[in-house]
């Protein structure tokens, strides 16, 4: 599948639920968001049918995300289903880690290719302030289990927010010191609640890490699904990555589209441009689905305009928890 700018689309991020057991300040309002009614949520069979269809046209990689994907029952079953699709080379999951210790082995048995845990701080007070829940111990249990067992690749995603705490950056990076765990720093994006935060630039984080651990050298091997740039640090088993959509725009190489839990194919994070696929999945209509997919992908915008502050009409109205990151 190619869009109208010649970019190959081979990566689908599937949000399996818009519900979450945390309320991260840059993602979801304290009171939560009105949930999509159950009747409108895609079933696992519908998700599988769509992915199998897209795989015929070049889909290779799938990310399971949310809301919090592990609050939906049976996610390992879905992963096993998706793993069996010919042409799909990678099925990964991004989770807040709260339920990871009980799901780690089922996810591994299902064949997941990578588990990414989102964690922004190791301070219990800060974690509570950021996520509005007291779940740091549960997340750390999951991460330690995953590091000890080491049965599948583990990554940690951190979204630093201003004012930047250098010690925190160092402690998070240390997850990559003695284990082959990659730690990635993500700039907060002005989507939904994120508009109220200022991105902490990659350069700021890098200089803290270089001052403490020495020079970082760029790593050219492919380590993920997309735009993260990875660096090696002397003595570290894992890599340090940066996903810097604000300071280092990477739209020219964008390879992804997103599916919301109710079946909307979103083609760019910043805009609500896309196409509703649920009707074609619910009453299987292959010709209609092909036409809708083609239309959606052809209309994928050239890029975001995070840097522009003026309003525009097709700005995304969903919160990040309804998109999946
Ligand atoms: N609940 C899961 C989790 O937290 O990993 C999956 C969904 S969450 C929306 C996916 C990722 O998006 C998380 O790593 C989260 O930190 C990130 N995220 C949420 N809002 C963001 C924003 N405004 N800018 C950048 N990243 C954001
Ligand atoms: Fe939930 Fe993930 Fe959003 Fe946090 S970032 S509120 S864990 S969906």
């Amino acid at each position: 599948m190619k869009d109208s700018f010649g970019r190959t689309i081979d990566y689908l991020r599937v949000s399996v639920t818009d519900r979450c057991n945390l309320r991260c300040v840059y993602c979801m309002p304290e009171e939560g968001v009105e949930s999509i009614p159950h009747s409108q949520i895609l079933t696992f069979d519908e998700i599988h049918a769509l992915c199998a269809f897209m795989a015929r046209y070049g889909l290779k990689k799938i990310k399971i995300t949310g809301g919090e994907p592990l609050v939906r029952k049976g996610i390992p079953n879905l992963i096993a289903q998706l793993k069996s699709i010919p042409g799909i080379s990678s099925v990964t999951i991004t989770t807040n880690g709260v339920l990871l210790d009980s799901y780690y082995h089922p996810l591994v048995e299902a064949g997941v290719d990578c588990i990414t845990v989102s964690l922004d701080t190791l301070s219990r007070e800060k974690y509570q302030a950021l996520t509005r829940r007291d779940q740091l111990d549960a997340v750390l249990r999951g991460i330690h289990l995953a590091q000890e067992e080491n049965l599948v690749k583990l990554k940690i995603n951190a979204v630093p927010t201003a004012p930047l705490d250098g010690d925190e950056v160092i402690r998070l990076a240390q997850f990559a010191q003695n284990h082959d765990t990659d730690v990635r720093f993500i700039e907060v994006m002005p989507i939904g609640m994120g508009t109220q935060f200022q991105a902490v630039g990659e350069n700021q984080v890098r200089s803290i890490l270089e001052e403490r651990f020495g020079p970082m050298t760029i790593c050219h091997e492919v380590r993920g699904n997309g735009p993260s740039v990875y660096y090696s640090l002397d003595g570290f088993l894992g890599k340090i990555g940066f996903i810097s959509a604000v300071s280092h725009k990477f739209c020219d190489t964008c390879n992804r589209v997103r599916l919301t839990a109710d079946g909307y194919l979103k083609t760019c994070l910043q805009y609500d441009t896309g196409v509703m696929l649920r009707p074609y999945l619910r009453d299987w209509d292959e010709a209609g689905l092909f036409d809708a997919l083609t239309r959606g992908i052809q209309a994928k915008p050239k890029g975001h305009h995070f840097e522009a502050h003026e309003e525009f009409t097709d700005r995304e109205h969903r919160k990040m928890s309804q998109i999946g990151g």
Side-chain angles (χ1 to χ4, degrees):
M1 290 174 286
K2 279 202 191 287
D3 72 4
S4 60
F5 300 98
R7 295 171 295 192
T8 298
I9 307 301
D10 61 5
Y11 176 32
L12 177 68
R13 295 178 66 94
V14 179
S15 167
V16 292
T17 178
D18 58 342
R19 291 162 201 246
C20 189
N21 44 6
L22 299 182
R23 291 285 180 276
C24 302
V25 289
Y26 48 70
C27 182
M28 221 172 169
E30 185 156 18
E31 65 282 8
V33 286
E34 200 184 328
S35 300
I36 301 170
H38 279 294
S39 60
Q40 289 176 25
I41 300 276
L42 294 189
T43 64
F44 287 171
D45 285 344
E46 287 167 342
I47 294 172
H48 172 262
L50 174 64
C51 292
F53 187 74
M54 289 179 73
R56 282 164 48 191
Y57 298 96
L59 180 68
K60 292 190 172 64
K61 295 171 279 191
I62 301 169
K63 166 76 76 190
I64 302 299
T65 177
E68 170 47 36
L70 294 180
V71 301
R72 182 162 173 184
K73 284 205 181 75
I75 289 302
N77 301 338
L78 174 66
I79 289 176
Q81 251 183 308
L82 298 177
K83 282 290 292 180
S84 71
I85 298 174
I88 296 298
S89 57
S90 149
V91 180
T92 57
I93 187 167
T94 295
T95 168
N96 60 29
V98 170
L99 300 172
L100 181 60
D101 74 336
S102 46
Y103 273 101
Y104 180 73
H105 286 109
L107 288 171
V108 170
E109 279 151 29
V112 78
D113 291 288
C114 176
I115 298 174
T116 298
V117 178
S118 303
L119 178 64
D120 303 336
T121 174
L122 289 164
S123 138
R124 188 165 174 195
E125 289 72 40
K126 279 195 191 160
Y127 185 90
Q128 246 174 303
L130 271 171
T131 67
R132 304 188 180 104
R133 299 289 185 272
D134 183 15
Q135 293 284 6
L136 179 62
D137 290 347
V139 180
L140 291 177
R141 267 200 309 279
I143 291 178
H144 292 146
L145 174 70
Q147 287 195 317
E148 275 157 30
E149 300 277 301
N150 196 24
L151 298 169
V152 69
K153 179 78 189 158
L154 177 72
K155 294 182 184 176
I156 292 176
N157 275 358
V159 177
T161 41
L164 186 61
D165 177 340
D167 291 339
E168 192 76 86
V169 167
I170 288 167
R171 279 198 297 272
L172 286 164
Q174 281 172 326
F175 278 115
Q177 204 161 18
N178 299 318
H179 294 90
D180 184 19
T181 301
D182 296 341
V183 176
R184 308 185 307 171
F185 294 93
I186 303 178
E187 288 179 356
V188 72
M189 289 176 269
I191 310 271
M193 310 302 292
T195 49
Q196 297 166 24
F197 293 81
Q198 219 195 333
V200 172
E202 166 178 337
N203 293 347
Q204 222 183 322
V205 176
R206 270 188 68 172
S207 61
I208 288 168
L209 293 177
E210 292 199 310
E211 193 178 320
R212 174 70 169 75
F213 298 112
M216 298 175 110
T217 44
I218 192 146
C219 164
H220 292 291
E221 89 196 64
V222 176
R223 290 181 80 82
N225 291 327
S228 189
V229 178
Y230 287 96
Y231 294 85
S232 305
L233 270 173
D234 233 14
F236 273 55
L237 293 179
K239 306 285 181 217
I240 303 296
F242 293 96
I243 303 179
S244 310
V246 181
S247 68
H248 298 70
K249 192 169 172 171
F250 40 73
C251 301
D252 286 353
T253 55
C254 185
N255 60 344
R256 64 197 54 198
V257 288
R258 295 171 167 83
L259 183 71
T260 63
D262 57 350
Y264 187 77
L265 186 84
K266 238 185 93 52
T267 53
C268 175
L269 251 187
Q270 199 184 17
Y271 304 93
D272 67 8
T273 320
V275 53
M276 179 45 100
L277 300 180
R278 193 177 65 241
Y280 310 105
L281 298 170
R282 208 128 278 191
D283 294 310
W284 183 249
D285 170 1
E286 195 163 312
L289 182 60
F290 180 80
D291 179 57
L293 265 175
T294 311
R295 263 188 294 119
I297 288 175
Q298 282 306 304
K300 180 173 162 68
K302 187 162 192 282
H304 69 66
H305 293 95
F306 287 161
E307 68 287 356
H309 293 292
E310 70 271 15
E311 267 308 316
F312 44 86
T313 49
D314 50 356
R315 181 187 279 280
E316 179 54 83
H317 59 279
R318 295 174 183 84
K319 306 283 183 282
M320 203 64 125
S321 59
Q322 298 165 299
I323 303 171

